[in-house]
Amino acid sequence: MNNHHVTVVVHIDEELPLQERQILEADLAGSRGIHTARTNEQRQHLMLVDYDAGQVHSSQLLNEVRQHGYHAQLVGW
């Protein structure tokens, strides 16, 4: 099986408190094909998501963020 490791930046419109960010990061990281999801303390509206493009498409991970009730876009896509 090929590993198609990709990192994307997801811009989240809402300001998320720490606990909500942690829940979103954990939920994404627990999804099939997604390795990690993390935000930066200085740029909390930006989330880096590392995933295997052979298992999940970027639109699927974006949809997962939106299913949590947040407005989000892929940056530079």
Side-chain angles (χ1 to χ4, degrees):
M1 175 176 228
N2 292 336
N3 185 11
H4 300 90
H5 183 85
V6 178
T7 301
V8 294
V9 178
V10 177
H11 177 272
I12 301 171
D13 296 343
E14 293 81 8
E15 286 191 35
L16 305 180
L18 177 60
Q19 185 176 12
E20 287 184 39
R21 282 192 322 239
Q22 290 172 334
I23 290 169
L24 181 58
E25 290 170 353
D27 285 354
L28 285 174
S31 297
R32 180 179 135 306
I34 299 177
H35 305 295
T36 62
R38 62 198 179 282
T39 54
N40 182 299
E41 284 302 313
Q42 285 74 34
R43 293 182 177 91
Q44 298 173 1
H45 62 287
L46 298 177
M47 177 177 284
L48 290 175
V49 181
D50 298 317
Y51 69 100
D52 184 337
Q55 294 184 35
V56 64
H57 191 271
S58 60
S59 63
Q60 292 170 294
L61 68 92
L62 183 60
N63 187 47
E64 195 159 332
V65 173
R66 291 176 175 165
Q67 286 178 350
H68 278 81
Y70 306 121
H71 299 91
Q73 305 82 33
L74 294 176
V75 176
W77 207 250

